[in-house]
Amino acid sequence: MDDVSAAAARIGPYVHRTPVATSATLDAQLEASIFFKLESQQKIGAFKARGALNAVLQLDEPAAARGVVTHSSGNHGQALAYAAAIRGLDCTVVVPDDAPDVKVAAMRGYGAKIVLCSQADRVAAMERVRAETGATLVHPYNDVAVIAGQGTAARELVEQIAGLDVVVAPIGGGGLMSGTVVTVRSQLPEARIVGAEPEQVDDAARSLESGVIQPATGKPTLADGLRTSLGDLTFDILAAGKVEVVTVTEQAIVAAARFHLFRMKHLVEPSGATGLAAVRELGAEVAGKRVGVIVSGGNTDLAWLD
Amino acid sequence: MDDVSAAAARIGPYVHRTPVATSATLDAQLEASIFFKLESQQKIGAFKARGALNAVLQLDEPAAARGVVTHSSGNHGQALAYAAAIRGLDCTVVVPDDAPDVKVAAMRGYGAKIVLCSQADRVAAMERVRAETGATLVHPYNDVAVIAGQGTAARELVEQIAGLDVVVAPIGGGGLMSGTVVTVRSQLPEARIVGAEPEQVDDAARSLESGVIQPATGKPTLADGLRTSLGDLTFDILAAGKVEVVTVTEQAIVAAARFHLFRMKHLVEPSGATGLAAVRELGAEVAGKRVGVIVSGGNTDLAWLD
């Protein structure tokens, strides 16, 4: 928790203290008080800005001079490019050649160098960049500095909303949830921690049940931020933190994203909408409870709307 | 202004104090500080809840017992239905038979009686309801109580953000802008007040220029909340308040609504996006200024997105 608090101080000037939104309609339906922490309104449109900044800002000078590198087709690449631009470092993002143009353009907008490669060649391409430049790898989730940074979202939430009984966050690689576990187990030891995961890619549920990291299923899901399997670090934290996983259908994800958009007027990406979908799945279990939901991001082209 | 302050106290328990949003990207582009007052996140999804509540809550008991009536295909009908439900009054909304099902369903959801009629028969149908029931007409904009209620949005904005140089709001029938004029001329006498209007329906611009109320053009616009002409009351207030009108193209409205949605992650209806479009039209004139923009609503099916 000290690492999370240090991260909050370190990244504070460069991230938004994102707002918390509520819906009287939803609260009436569930007979509960649901609080949405809108990381969709974070810098670069997702919580990922927090972890990347925390990693970049604590590099020592010699490492900083060699720059940073990662591989990502999505929000983490944008987050690292943003963080590197703030510190004025070189940043290389290895991007699979089927990544959306708009995301690649955003990374370039922050001054990142882009190395395009095939999906299969991602890790090898990144290792070549590291070998050539000596750049530091900033892993999207299996990294203590990244995890501490992500934990600052839950830290703000528990400051903004007192007395939460349940905290919900999506699980992809487990970075956001690991940071959430650290914060919640420290600040609200009795709270239930619920991870939201697509039924299509339920590896975290199966990993925690079996006690062994399971690979991601590779099945398609609209929640494209949640396709990854856990890392050894995030798996250990989730297991120690007694995280319960609730899996949600693609239909439930779309219904939740539509509720965020048309009722609450917030653009939320499908990965970010899994939290509401999981709360609805819990149904009567949340009645009378105060539930905090971390809405992870808002970067989407709305292709799921039709 | 006393009426606006009284309205704020009267309606306070039933409306949201809506948030103010900013965009570092936009501020950098315009070299200005732009503050968006998000009435899109108001009850019923639009500022209209304010005026309708202020009118309904100050009816005397005999009038209240006879109920309220209006004609509306849009946000005002929902707002009046919401306000009547809060006070437990009968409410009848005369709705043209081409009104969107979702809006009619929302009015029914608040317990309003719906009278469907042809577009041409709206006023006559409403007069029949008044004659039969003795219900009080709550006009969507040409009404002092409604105007005072709408003025509470600007009143909150000037409380939330100090030192505004410019205040921008859309103009349809002029209710929101009239309330804005009352507040801004009282609280920030030197501020510029800018009305945003679609080029396609530029009757307010022509009315203020000619000194005589001009009828709406009847041309199509995506900003469907702004198709109405001014009333005698709103015209007088806008003229006395030295409101400048900036007209914006349909393209500029869509670009602004897309910026709200994809960059700021807020769902804003085209009428509500005219404010940002007008600010962009002002361009260099807002450089170095603090600009407040009232985003009027967020009720849209996103049909304009394609």
Side-chain angles (χ1 to χ4, degrees):
Chain A
M1 189 62 207
D2 290 344
D3 289 348
V4 175
S5 297
R10 190 177 290 122
I11 72 177
Y14 311 108
V15 295
H16 293 304
R17 188 177 172 87
T18 53
V20 174
T22 60
S23 161
T25 303
L26 183 69
D27 286 359
Q29 285 168 358
L30 293 168
E31 297 175 12
S33 299
I34 317 292
F35 302 93
F36 294 101
K37 174 73 172 162
L38 295 181
E39 289 297 297
S40 47
Q41 292 179 24
Q42 188 49 271
K43 290 282 181 187
I44 73 104
F47 72 93
K48 296 271 186 183
R50 296 175 183 271
L53 269 164
N54 192 45
V56 164
L57 292 176
Q58 65 186 270
L59 289 176
D60 61 27
E61 285 302 331
R66 293 190 299 271
V68 289
V69 60
T70 198
H71 59 93
S72 165
S73 55
N75 291 335
H76 176 64
Q78 285 184 67
L80 190 64
Y82 170 70
I86 282 185
R87 193 163 167 191
L89 309 189
D90 287 339
C91 174
T92 306
V93 185
V94 174
V95 178
D97 46 23
D98 60 350
D101 288 347
V102 57
K103 300 216 167 177
V104 176
M107 295 178 209
R108 285 210 171 96
Y110 290 120
K113 280 175 245 172
I114 305 298
V115 174
L116 290 169
C117 68
S118 69
Q119 187 64 252
D121 194 41
R122 283 168 72 150
V123 174
M126 191 198 63
E127 290 300 344
R128 283 195 296 273
V129 174
R130 281 176 81 178
E132 283 163 24
T133 62
T136 300
L137 166 65
V138 179
H139 192 277
Y141 51 88
N142 208 44
D143 177 302
V144 287
V146 169
I147 289 170
Q150 318 304 31
T152 62
R155 186 176 182 275
E156 286 175 18
L157 175 59
V158 302
E159 281 176 3
Q160 289 164 307
I161 307 296
L164 292 174
D165 302 299
V166 185
V167 177
V168 182
I171 304 180
L176 176 63
M177 182 50 100
S178 292
T180 301
V181 163
V182 171
T183 297
V184 173
R185 282 288 160 259
S186 159
Q187 307 295 304
L188 300 166
E190 302 303 317
R192 240 178 119 170
I193 304 180
V194 174
E197 195 176 36
E199 212 173 80
Q200 289 281 92
V201 188
D202 63 346
D203 59 282
R206 292 183 293 104
S207 298
L208 291 169
E209 201 176 295
S210 66
V212 180
I213 298 177
Q214 304 291 322
T217 63
K219 288 191 201 163
T221 174
L222 292 169
D224 52 8
L226 309 182
R227 286 185 191 137
T228 335
S229 57
L230 298 173
D232 54 357
L233 199 52
T234 57
F235 172 78
D236 284 349
I237 296 173
L238 268 56
K242 298 194 172 29
V243 172
E244 305 167 53
V245 181
V246 172
T247 60
V248 295
T249 65
E250 297 296 297
Q251 270 186 316
I253 294 170
V254 170
R258 292 185 69 97
F259 188 91
H260 280 293
L261 183 61
F262 290 114
R263 297 302 298 254
M264 300 188 71
K265 317 298 182 186
H266 296 129
L267 183 60
V268 164
E269 60 190 58
S271 302
T274 56
L276 169 55
V279 169
R280 285 175 163 170
E281 185 68 29
L282 288 169
E285 289 182 44
V286 299
K289 305 289 188 195
R290 292 167 70 76
V291 183
V293 179
I294 302 181
V295 176
S296 50
N299 293 330
T300 169
D301 61 6
L302 287 175
W304 47 268
L305 198 57
D306 302 313
Chain B
M1 189 62 207
D2 290 344
D3 289 349
V4 175
S5 297
R10 191 177 288 122
I11 71 177
Y14 311 107
V15 295
H16 294 303
R17 187 177 173 88
T18 53
V20 174
T22 60
S23 161
T25 303
L26 183 69
D27 285 0
Q29 285 168 357
L30 293 168
E31 296 175 14
S33 299
I34 317 293
F35 302 93
F36 295 101
K37 175 72 173 164
L38 295 181
E39 288 298 296
S40 47
Q41 292 180 23
Q42 189 49 269
K43 290 281 180 186
I44 74 103
F47 72 95
K48 297 270 186 183
R50 297 176 182 269
L53 269 164
N54 193 44
V56 164
L57 293 176
Q58 66 186 270
L59 290 176
D60 62 26
E61 285 302 330
R66 295 191 298 272
V68 290
V69 61
T70 198
H71 58 92
S72 166
S73 56
N75 291 335
H76 176 64
Q78 286 184 68
L80 190 64
Y82 170 70
I86 283 185
R87 193 162 166 191
L89 308 189
D90 288 339
C91 174
T92 307
V93 185
V94 175
V95 178
D97 45 24
D98 60 349
D101 288 347
V102 56
K103 299 218 168 179
V104 176
M107 296 178 208
R108 285 210 172 96
Y110 290 119
K113 281 174 246 173
I114 304 298
V115 175
L116 291 168
C117 69
S118 69
Q119 186 63 252
D121 194 40
R122 283 168 71 148
V123 175
M126 191 199 64
E127 289 300 344
R128 283 195 296 276
V129 174
R130 281 175 81 177
E132 283 164 23
T133 62
T136 300
L137 166 64
V138 179
H139 193 276
Y141 50 88
N142 208 45
D143 177 303
V144 287
V146 169
I147 289 171
Q150 318 304 32
T152 62
R155 187 175 181 275
E156 286 175 18
L157 174 60
V158 302
E159 280 175 3
Q160 290 164 307
I161 307 296
L164 292 174
D165 302 298
V166 185
V167 177
V168 182
I171 304 181
L176 175 63
M177 182 50 98
S178 292
T180 301
V181 163
V182 171
T183 297
V184 174
R185 282 288 160 261
S186 159
Q187 307 296 306
L188 300 165
E190 303 303 318
R192 240 178 121 173
I193 305 181
V194 174
E197 195 175 36
E199 212 173 78
Q200 288 281 88
V201 189
D202 63 346
D203 58 282
R206 291 183 294 104
S207 298
L208 291 169
E209 200 176 297
S210 66
V212 179
I213 298 176
Q214 304 291 323
T217 62
K219 288 190 203 165
T221 174
L222 292 169
D224 52 8
L226 309 182
R227 285 184 192 138
T228 335
S229 57
L230 299 173
D232 54 356
L233 198 52
T234 56
F235 172 77
D236 285 349
I237 296 173
L238 268 55
K242 299 194 172 30
V243 171
E244 304 166 54
V245 180
V246 171
T247 59
V248 295
T249 65
E250 297 296 297
Q251 269 186 316
I253 295 170
V254 170
R258 291 185 70 96
F259 188 90
H260 280 293
L261 184 61
F262 290 114
R263 297 302 300 252
M264 299 189 71
K265 317 297 183 187
H266 296 129
L267 183 60
V268 164
E269 60 189 59
S271 302
T274 56
L276 169 54
V279 169
R280 285 174 164 172
E281 185 68 28
L282 288 169
E285 289 183 45
V286 299
K289 306 289 187 194
R290 291 168 70 78
V291 183
V293 179
I294 302 181
V295 176
S296 50
N299 293 329
T300 170
D301 61 5
L302 287 176
W304 47 268
L305 197 58
D306 301 314

